[in-house]
Amino acid sequence: MKVKRIGFLLGFLMVAAMSIATYGQQRAGGAGARPAPQPIPLFFRETWKDPNGNVAVTQNFVANPDLELKVYGKDVNVTGEGNLPHIWTGLCSPSCAVAFRHKTSYVDLTGKAKIRWIAKTSGFHQIRPIVKLADGTWLAGEFADAYTFDFHQTEFFPSDVRWMKIDMETRTTKGDLLPKVDLSKVDEFGFVDLTPGSGHGSGGYSDVGWIEVYGKPVPRS
């Protein structure tokens, strides 16, 4: 009887071990396992071409051939000062904005889509994100980058930003912060400096270097 009990116990333990091993394989990627979440892809990166001076920015200085440059306002310059090609807003009056339109795709900026850029400011200037939705609506974000010490990298999630409508002809915000915004189909993405530039020298400008947009492409119909 003792031998039978020992045999029964050993058999039970073997079956239990096999069950645990099978469950572990399923959890690790076997049948019925959930697929691992995929990282949000890089939609575009813009680094600017070095103009060898301080000149008005045009499409010729856009390094990414998939992007169309959109400039809102006057006297928006690009410069390579500091060994980092960047936009400089010191001559903008009363304000200015720069945005990019991908030639073949909208971008989905919902969920964990994110923005990275390198920038610095002078005086009380701030850089805010702007988006143009597929229906033509322009929005400016409450998120503001105003770091004055030196160029630094900033990362934020558009879905974590509260948005307000903006008139891009005058770069003036309209109404209240919106309770909900659909960022699933963004036509243009960029930044706005709502403060007049103070000219050359310290006191009032924004510098914006490379920009990275991480989001899912949505084909243009």
Side-chain angles (χ1 to χ4, degrees):
M1 293 296 292
K2 290 184 179 180
V3 173
K4 290 183 179 180
R5 289 179 180 177
I6 293 173
F8 175 80
L9 180 60
L10 290 175
F12 175 80
L13 292 175
M14 290 178 63
V15 171
M18 292 174 64
S19 299
I20 292 172
T22 301
Y23 177 77
Q25 291 174 358
Q26 291 177 347
R27 294 284 292 178
R34 294 182 180 179
Q38 297 299 309
I40 302 297
L42 175 64
F43 180 64
F44 76 72
R45 174 181 168 91
E46 175 52 38
T47 59
W48 307 107
K49 296 178 182 178
D50 192 340
N52 297 315
N54 191 328
V55 300
V57 67
T58 66
Q59 184 70 38
N60 293 332
F61 297 108
V62 176
N64 189 330
D66 295 328
L67 301 179
E68 297 177 3
L69 175 68
K70 304 292 183 177
V71 178
Y72 301 92
K74 298 180 180 180
D75 299 320
V76 184
N77 281 21
V78 61
T79 176
E81 295 176 1
N83 297 318
L84 177 67
H86 60 272
I87 296 297
W88 177 70
T89 68
L91 299 179
C92 291
S93 182
S95 61
C96 58
V98 173
F100 300 100
R101 180 182 185 272
H102 195 278
K103 294 178 180 179
T104 61
S105 301
Y106 299 107
V107 61
D108 181 352
L109 294 181
T110 61
K112 292 188 177 181
K114 63 184 176 182
I115 309 299
R116 287 178 180 167
W117 65 38
I118 188 168
K120 67 181 175 71
T121 63
S122 178
F124 293 120
H125 280 242
Q126 298 177 327
I127 307 160
R128 297 178 182 273
I130 53 172
V131 294
K132 180 183 180 182
L133 306 182
D135 65 3
T137 301
W138 273 104
L139 304 172
E142 67 169 347
F143 173 83
D145 189 355
Y147 190 75
T148 60
F149 184 71
D150 200 354
F151 280 106
H152 75 131
Q153 296 183 32
T154 298
E155 177 179 303
F156 61 92
F157 299 95
S159 60
D160 198 34
V161 174
R162 298 184 68 189
W163 300 87
M164 179 182 291
K165 290 185 177 181
I166 183 171
D167 180 348
M168 290 303 291
E169 291 295 323
T170 59
R171 275 82 59 203
T172 51
T173 52
K174 303 290 184 179
D176 301 319
L177 287 168
L178 300 173
K180 186 177 181 180
V181 171
D182 182 2
L183 299 176
S184 62
K185 192 179 287 187
V186 172
D187 184 30
E188 296 180 29
F189 174 84
F191 61 89
V192 63
D193 183 341
L194 297 172
T195 306
S198 65
H200 292 279
S202 299
Y205 61 81
S206 295
D207 289 334
V208 182
W210 54 257
I211 298 176
E212 294 177 344
V213 174
Y214 291 80
K216 298 177 182 177
V218 180
R220 296 183 183 275
S221 56

